[in-house]
Amino acid sequence: MATHNEQEREHHEHEHHEHHVHGPGYATPQAAIEESTPEAVAYVVGLYTGSDIEAPDFIGVVDVDPDSDMYQEIIDRVEMPNRGDELHHFGWNACSSSCHVEGLERQYLVVPGNRSGRLHILDTKDRRHPEIETVIEPEEVHEYDLSGPHTVHCIPDGEILISMTGNADGESPSGFLELNDDFEIEGRWDPPGEIDFNYDFWYQPRHNVMVSSEWAAPVTYQPGFDMEDVEAGKYGRRLHIWNWSEGTVEQTIDLGEEGLIPLETRFLHTPESVHGYVNAALSSNIFHFFEEDDQYHAEKVIDFESREHEDWDMPVPALPTDILISMDDRYLFGSNWVHGEVWMYDISDPSNPRKVDSISIGGYYGDIRDVQGRELVAGPQMLQLSLDGERLYWTTSLYSTWDDQFFPEEKEHGSVMLKADVDPRKGTLELDEDFLVDFGNLPDGPARAHEIRWPDGDCTSDVWQ
């Protein structure tokens, strides 16, 4: 870990070059809030994998400018060259972590197919009509004994790091793949064998630390969810604390039975912070992780209770499948996919989150069952917040085979994209009942919708040095 003096020196060095910013993104999280303009388009994953529709997955371009004549419409779809990729999470070639790199632009989306292992590079120079730049085929990825690409993070100096959930056979151990700024495979970022399971990760360069979480190997999760796999130890429950510059694990935290399947990993945005959160989806808990006395610790800070349901022979877990932190680091948002709830906690005191508001919608128990007459099936899933923290959007698909188990109607009806207006001053959420993007009404047929990204960066991808 960097010493206090080293951190101070790095801070001053960064402050110095902030006056000569020529790279992508914003100099600070506060600059992202103050200098950004409201989002006009959103890039959203659209899926036909797992359906009977013979069409490839796509990236949908959704008009979210309320002054536009095409507001709430999918104005373009970039179809992938192959079927069955299962597009899932995706990210940028560059973000605010490279704000000091002159000439680098946030222009290319790296869009992995989690099921196929294929990596697609999209050029978004024309924001409303992106195009495929190049494709890295699965065989090229398998040469590094990796498969199941998941989280894409741009890293300083224009390179790209991708978490991989399995080896070339789709089994454990997993690892990380690194691409250079020409979208060529640079190689493995980590020494093989450092971790068995992998999922999401986030890094804080100023503290030389990265935290990664655990899902399972592709051979386990891709066919669907089976509780026997959990009992057999085929799903993760640990956090890995990495030496960022060395690419090695320095510490592993076992979250125990209350930390089963830890998914999204979010550090606070301020680069000085050593606090973050992870959602243990199956255990329905949120953990706060933090550094103290040169060690990282994890404590359960939010617990969502299971509920009875007449169609289930066991209490139904909330399944908080996504979380995000507002750019000002004041609020933690999350989605309880099965229960049907999107929630908002004040994290001004990171150790003691305080619930301020929620919306009960969709899922098994949501009070709101339709929007503009469109029946809601699944609960809120992937979230994205505007940079100014005033508009929260979400989609409703998790993973095709898991959708079929928990919400089989999602395949027939397609997903929706919804929105809530946020008042950061009062700490309130209010559903925008006039906003609805219907992925069930597309020329090829109903599609599932997953992750959302903004062209100018967002709360779930930008990192600062």
Side-chain angles (χ1 to χ4, degrees):
M1 298 293 177
T3 65
H4 176 74
N5 289 337
E6 288 171 336
Q7 293 167 17
E8 284 294 308
R9 185 176 65 250
E10 290 166 2
H11 176 73
H12 289 309
E13 288 172 351
H14 191 80
E15 287 293 317
H16 176 72
H17 76 237
E18 279 172 7
H19 297 290
H20 308 282
V21 170
H22 298 288
Y26 302 92
T28 65
Q30 187 60 32
I33 297 170
E34 296 175 357
E35 298 172 10
S36 63
T37 56
E39 62 282 358
V41 296
Y43 300 127
V44 184
V45 162
L47 284 171
Y48 284 116
T49 297
S51 74
D52 300 326
I53 296 170
E54 296 186 0
D57 297 344
F58 62 90
I59 292 295
V61 182
V62 178
D63 190 320
V64 290
D65 177 0
D67 295 327
S68 168
D69 292 338
M70 304 185 77
Y71 183 48
Q72 306 180 50
E73 293 185 23
I74 301 173
I75 57 176
D76 194 11
R77 291 183 296 147
V78 185
E79 294 186 344
M80 299 301 109
N82 299 274
R83 291 178 57 204
D85 285 309
E86 183 107 31
L87 303 186
H88 194 59
H89 288 208
F90 62 118
W92 289 101
N93 67 310
C95 71
S96 296
S97 68
S98 302
C99 70
H100 62 293
V101 181
E102 186 173 1
L104 190 63
E105 295 183 48
R106 191 199 317 255
Q107 181 177 337
Y108 298 95
L109 282 170
V110 180
V111 185
N114 180 267
R115 196 173 288 271
S116 68
R118 190 173 285 111
L119 307 175
H120 312 85
I121 312 301
L122 271 59
D123 184 347
T124 69
K125 186 173 183 178
D126 182 342
R127 289 184 171 188
R128 298 174 73 86
H129 302 289
E131 296 180 344
I132 293 178
E133 172 79 7
T134 188
V135 176
I136 299 173
E137 295 296 337
E139 296 76 15
E140 301 174 65
V141 175
H142 294 168
E143 288 182 18
Y144 298 88
D145 200 21
L146 291 169
S147 69
H150 192 273
T151 298
V152 176
H153 264 303
C154 38
I155 58 179
D157 301 328
E159 298 194 325
I160 299 151
L161 191 62
I162 306 171
S163 61
M164 312 290 289
T165 56
N167 63 18
D169 296 323
E171 300 173 342
S172 294
S174 54
F176 292 86
L177 188 73
E178 188 171 359
L179 306 183
N180 63 25
D181 54 6
D182 289 324
F183 309 113
E184 299 165 334
I185 296 178
E186 188 84 1
R188 285 194 68 133
W189 178 79
D190 56 319
E194 284 287 278
I195 52 174
D196 286 332
F197 299 136
N198 202 1
Y199 182 77
D200 193 30
F201 69 102
W202 197 289
Y203 63 98
Q204 283 287 52
R206 199 169 293 186
H207 294 281
N208 192 35
V209 66
M210 182 179 89
V211 176
S212 69
S213 58
E214 295 186 334
W215 191 10
V219 294
T220 301
Y221 68 75
Q222 286 185 350
F225 179 72
D226 187 337
M227 197 63 196
E228 290 186 1
D229 288 333
V230 177
E231 294 166 355
K234 294 182 179 179
Y235 278 93
R237 62 182 207 181
R238 297 179 295 179
L239 297 181
H240 302 283
I241 315 299
W242 297 74
N243 182 311
W244 172 242
S245 58
E246 299 294 330
T248 54
V249 174
E250 289 197 337
Q251 183 187 352
T252 292
I253 301 174
D254 189 340
L255 301 175
E257 292 294 321
E258 294 196 305
L260 289 170
I261 314 185
L263 296 180
E264 312 304 336
T265 308
R266 317 291 191 204
F267 262 111
L268 267 62
H269 297 286
T270 176
E272 290 89 355
S273 178
V274 290
H275 295 268
Y277 298 90
V278 64
N279 51 317
L282 186 59
S283 300
S284 297
N285 296 318
I286 309 299
F287 279 80
H288 167 222
F289 60 81
F290 57 98
E291 188 269 343
E292 187 174 276
D293 298 329
D294 294 327
Q295 288 286 307
Y296 268 82
H297 310 267
E299 296 178 347
K300 186 183 73 174
V301 289
I302 302 174
D303 185 344
F304 297 103
E305 292 187 5
S306 299
R307 300 175 64 174
E308 300 293 333
H309 193 284
E310 58 184 7
D311 295 333
W312 282 55
D313 57 6
M314 59 176 281
V316 181
L319 225 65
T321 47
D322 194 20
I323 58 172
L324 69 75
I325 296 173
S326 60
M327 196 58 78
D328 62 2
D329 288 337
R330 182 174 177 190
Y331 293 111
L332 177 71
F333 296 86
S335 55
N336 292 351
W337 185 54
V338 173
H339 280 190
E341 182 183 31
V342 58
W343 45 261
M344 175 180 184
Y345 276 70
D346 186 326
I347 54 170
S348 301
D349 177 357
S351 300
N352 297 288
R354 178 176 61 87
K355 186 175 182 178
V356 292
D357 207 353
S358 66
I359 297 173
S360 177
I361 184 168
Y364 280 57
Y365 304 96
D367 295 333
I368 301 171
R369 305 307 307 180
D370 67 74
V371 175
Q372 295 185 44
R374 169 66 152 89
E375 182 183 359
L376 304 179
V377 179
Q381 216 284 110
M382 293 307 294
L383 306 169
Q384 193 53 265
L385 184 68
S386 60
L387 290 171
D388 62 10
E390 296 184 0
R391 295 166 297 284
L392 181 70
Y393 301 79
W394 65 86
T395 56
T396 53
S397 169
L398 176 60
Y399 199 80
S400 62
T401 42
W402 293 47
D403 290 349
D404 290 346
Q405 290 178 282
F406 291 92
F407 299 106
E409 301 92 339
E410 187 85 349
K411 180 169 67 177
E412 305 301 325
H413 297 280
S415 298
V416 294
M417 180 177 173
L418 300 173
K419 165 179 170 281
D421 294 318
V422 183
D423 187 330
R425 187 176 62 84
K426 296 180 179 177
T428 58
L429 283 170
E430 183 177 2
L431 180 70
D432 181 349
E433 297 185 18
D434 294 326
F435 185 91
L436 171 74
V437 180
D438 190 353
F439 280 74
N441 185 24
L442 295 177
D444 292 323
R448 308 171 202 265
H450 195 65
E451 190 166 55
I452 306 167
R453 293 241 171 269
W454 311 129
D456 289 323
D458 48 59
C459 298
T460 57
S461 64
D462 270 62
V463 174
W464 277 267
Q465 289 201 69

